[in-house]
Amino acid sequence: MKIKKRHFALICYLILLFLPIYWMLNMSLRTNADIMSTFALFPSHPTLENYMKIFSDSSWYSGYINSIIYVTMNTVISLLTALPAAYAFSRFEFIGDKHIFFWLLTNRMAPPAVFLLPFFQLYSTFNLIDTHIAVALSHCLFNVPLAVWILEGFMSGVPREIDETAFIDGYSFPRFFIRVFIPLIRAGIGVTAFFCFMFSWVELLLARTLTTTVAKPIAATMTRTVSATGLDWGLLAAAGILTIVPGALVIWFVRNHLAKGFALGRV
Amino acid sequence: MMNKWRNNRAWFLVLPVFVIVAFSAIIPLMTVVNYSVQDIFGPGQRFFVGIEWFKEVLLDQRLHDALFKQLAFSGLVLLIEMPLGIIIALMMPKKGWTSSACLVILALPLLIPWNVIGTIWIIFTRPDIGLFGAFINSTGIAFDHTASGVDAWITLMLMEVWHWTPLVALLAYAGLRAIPEAYYQAAKIDGASAWAIFRFIQLPKMRGVLTIALLLRFMDSFLIYAEPFVLTGGGPGNATTFLSIYLVKIAVGQFDLGPAAAFSLIYFLIILLFCWLFYQALQAVGTGDKS
């Protein structure tokens, strides 16, 4: 009985969690005229018109492609740089280690509004404005520290005897790291990649400032549409639903890793 | 932590991270410091004003208002999200497809771009076409976040709790899964109550992930911008003009780079101070509980 009550509460929470998303899905399947004229819990005449519009207009769908490109680049860069650093923090004591560790986290604390202009100037100097790599690099500011922080936790959960044994067996450091160590924390890498993907995907201010047309992210395309064409609620809802899809796909594919990775987390 | 290997060559492993973060952090930070001590009229026309802007900003009444609102907002949000997230993590199934399904549904709100979150909630809370707005109004309570400051606050709080509680829940769940089964068996033999298990086994073991959750949630709620900007635009009146919205008004609206830069440096220091205090406090709690 007690267990049932617990599950009931959890299911209620998950339904409440899903309601706003359901409402957007509902609206995305209706025309704007329909939305404004009637209030309906279920779309009475579901239509895919809004989605067709997005998939047939390149100014819309290129936004999704751009976002996916820079998010992927950012995730790869963050993981590649954070892996060795996290290893250093979890295994070695060196001058300034604790300070650097905390300093890394402080980079998430800068209010972006004012830092946008210096960012723009910096990336202009390197001729990187409106490229995917510029956005990917700028997102490293908050993703790399987070990746180091999370990976360090997973790595500290791996006993150091494993490293020692491998070195006695004659493994060189790079070979040990790639062949032995990385497979051990694979699930942790999955979790970290998920977090990097997530934070880069949802960030808007930096992505919008550093791009104009070629690398414009989808979230920026959406804000422009809101102001330009009045409010086409149906179209807006459809675009919003489509912003959830890539993330939902990622999480569906890594769900087992995620559960396993979370289970390995050091606390 | 047991004794680690002492080796300063470990710096070479940290170097890539240091370089990439410094590139994106230190140069812009220096530029902002540079703005904050100058009065800028245009390219080539700038005067050194020393700490004038800092004085002006620190005495600005509207900034005090915004800071107070921001502290209240972050405090309330943390007080709701942290316990709620832990409770949800405790309720989640431990294994099987149901736990995967829970993880996927929980992660959904986290994967939505921040301005889209605002858009969703505009749609959701509209009294005429939104589910939530229509529901509340049908119960007879007049609810309109564009007209009433209290309603705007409630809407923003609901949105923030909806959006971010899953992050706390996911992290707390990770912490719970890492507790070996043997601990629970030992507790069972001792006849420990559910509360005792939570207080003496689960909570101390979750300290690490809860530290990350608390710091992340504090920083992000203190820096919240896109969602209230889209949803309420800081209004009605100034009811939801939090620090970052006020900052953007100065920096972009009035293009006062000097005061805006001084403002953001102070803003940054406030967050830094709080995070450092949280961090130290949680580290201390952890060592006390280790017995």
Side-chain angles (χ1 to χ4, degrees):
Chain A
M1 187 60 212
K2 199 179 164 205
I3 287 179
K4 274 192 182 149
K5 208 157 61 182
R6 196 164 96 165
H7 283 190
F8 181 71
L10 182 66
I11 288 167
C12 283
Y13 173 77
L14 291 177
I15 289 172
L16 285 180
L17 197 67
F18 197 66
L19 269 186
I21 299 173
Y22 166 73
W23 198 246
M24 192 161 69
L25 184 66
N26 176 3
M27 300 203 116
S28 74
L29 295 172
R30 300 159 64 188
T31 60
N32 203 37
D34 186 24
I35 292 171
M36 297 312 283
S37 60
T38 45
F39 179 85
L41 287 179
F42 304 100
S44 46
H45 309 286
T47 165
L48 288 175
E49 196 184 301
N50 296 317
Y51 291 97
M52 300 300 277
K53 207 164 175 179
I54 290 170
F55 281 118
S56 57
D57 183 350
S58 78
S59 71
W60 270 108
Y61 67 72
S62 65
Y64 289 99
I65 299 170
N66 291 332
S67 291
I68 290 172
I69 293 175
Y70 73 69
V71 169
T72 312
M73 283 163 107
N74 171 268
T75 307
V76 172
I77 298 172
S78 301
L79 280 180
L80 285 183
T81 52
L83 274 169
Y87 183 79
F89 284 120
S90 82
R91 292 295 194 259
F92 297 109
E93 219 174 88
F94 48 95
I95 296 171
D97 53 354
K98 298 216 170 52
H99 298 111
I100 293 284
F101 200 57
F102 195 76
W103 170 73
L104 280 175
L105 202 68
T106 64
N107 289 301
R108 288 186 66 90
M109 304 173 194
V114 171
F115 285 81
L116 291 176
L117 189 64
F119 260 105
F120 187 81
Q121 292 174 338
L122 176 67
Y123 286 93
S124 312
T125 319
F126 288 95
N127 241 339
L128 286 172
I129 291 298
D130 209 14
T131 58
H132 299 105
I133 190 74
V135 185
L137 278 178
S138 70
H139 283 182
C140 283
L141 180 64
F142 48 85
N143 268 347
V144 168
L146 188 70
V148 171
W149 200 283
I150 298 175
L151 281 174
E152 195 269 344
F154 283 105
M155 288 180 179
S156 299
V158 178
R160 242 171 311 161
E161 286 73 27
I162 291 177
D163 308 29
E164 279 160 359
T165 320
F167 293 137
I168 292 167
D169 287 351
Y171 275 88
S172 67
F173 177 71
R175 219 177 85 131
F176 154 76
F177 199 71
I178 293 163
R179 286 287 181 75
V180 180
F181 199 69
I182 287 186
L184 276 177
I185 55 156
R186 210 171 44 200
I189 295 175
V191 172
T192 314
F194 168 72
F195 272 95
C196 290
F197 179 94
M198 180 187 108
F199 278 112
S200 178
W201 180 258
V202 298
E203 204 281 339
L204 171 70
L205 280 177
L206 282 170
R208 194 175 57 188
T209 308
L210 295 176
T211 56
T212 47
T213 47
V214 182
K216 196 179 179 73
I218 181 58
T221 314
M222 279 183 69
T223 48
R224 186 206 54 192
T225 314
V226 171
S227 51
T229 60
L231 287 172
D232 186 341
W233 292 109
L235 189 63
L236 200 62
I241 286 293
L242 288 177
T243 59
I244 307 179
V245 172
L249 284 178
V250 167
I251 194 163
W252 182 254
F253 283 120
V254 301
R255 70 187 187 283
N256 290 329
H257 266 309
L258 210 61
K260 215 185 299 167
F262 277 143
L264 287 175
R266 179 200 57 141
V267 261
Chain B
M1 288 299 94
M2 301 145 298
N3 44 336
K4 298 177 179 181
W5 299 317
R6 274 206 84 80
N7 192 341
N8 281 327
R9 277 189 303 171
W11 254 105
F12 287 110
L13 296 173
V14 183
L15 205 59
V17 161
F18 188 78
V19 168
I20 202 158
V21 173
F23 176 75
S24 302
I26 293 177
I27 300 171
L29 181 68
M30 287 302 115
T31 318
V32 172
V33 171
N34 192 18
Y35 290 154
S36 73
V37 292
Q38 298 187 69
D39 197 352
I40 301 164
F41 293 105
Q45 271 190 302
R46 43 180 72 195
F47 302 98
F48 181 77
V49 294
I51 58 163
E52 206 55 42
W53 295 133
F54 287 92
K55 266 196 232 160
E56 187 188 310
V57 165
L58 281 173
L59 294 173
D60 182 354
Q61 188 57 44
R62 279 177 303 171
L63 184 131
H64 297 168
D65 275 3
L67 176 64
F68 178 73
K69 272 179 248 169
Q70 186 73 70
L71 283 170
F73 182 76
S74 288
L76 283 172
V77 157
L78 283 178
L79 278 179
I80 299 173
E81 282 178 4
M82 297 297 292
L84 188 61
I86 295 172
I87 291 170
I88 290 158
L90 287 170
M91 288 195 300
M92 275 170 68
K94 291 189 174 67
K95 49 178 88 119
W97 69 270
T98 45
S99 82
S100 304
C102 284
L103 286 177
V104 173
I105 298 177
L106 271 180
L108 277 180
L110 299 173
L111 289 160
I112 306 171
W114 293 347
N115 60 330
V116 180
I117 298 267
T119 314
I120 293 181
W121 279 78
I122 290 181
I123 297 179
F124 193 58
T125 53
R126 285 260 305 216
D128 51 346
I129 59 172
L131 184 61
F132 181 74
F135 173 72
I136 293 290
N137 280 305
S138 73
T139 61
I141 306 163
F143 185 89
D144 186 359
H145 66 75
T146 54
S148 147
V150 179
D151 292 356
W153 265 76
I154 293 173
T155 313
L156 276 181
M157 299 270 301
L158 269 179
M159 178 180 72
E160 181 74 4
V161 168
W162 171 79
H163 185 188
W164 285 111
T165 306
L167 182 81
V168 182
L170 283 179
L171 287 168
Y173 180 74
L176 284 175
R177 290 289 72 75
I179 302 174
E181 199 54 40
Y183 281 54
Y184 292 115
Q185 280 158 8
K188 214 172 177 181
I189 292 166
D190 290 347
S193 65
W195 168 252
I197 292 177
F198 175 71
R199 173 65 189 81
F200 296 108
I201 299 177
Q202 291 171 324
L203 199 59
K205 277 282 178 185
M206 283 193 287
R207 183 181 55 90
V209 282
L210 289 181
T211 308
I212 298 182
L214 182 70
L215 289 179
L216 281 179
R217 281 312 309 127
F218 173 75
M219 284 181 231
D220 290 346
S221 67
F222 214 79
L223 288 168
I224 188 169
Y225 173 74
E227 299 98 316
F229 180 74
V230 173
L231 189 57
T232 64
N238 272 331
T240 54
T241 302
F242 296 129
L243 274 182
S244 56
I245 292 184
Y246 185 48
L247 176 60
V248 173
K249 274 186 188 162
I250 300 179
V252 182
Q254 308 166 7
F255 213 72
D256 280 339
L257 273 183
F263 184 168
S264 53
L265 287 175
I266 294 168
Y267 197 166
F268 176 63
L269 288 177
I270 294 173
I271 300 182
L272 189 61
L273 176 73
F274 273 102
C275 284
W276 189 79
L277 287 176
F278 283 146
Y279 187 66
Q280 294 299 327
L282 280 159
Q283 296 294 95
V285 167
T287 44
D289 265 342
K290 273 253 162 75
S291 60

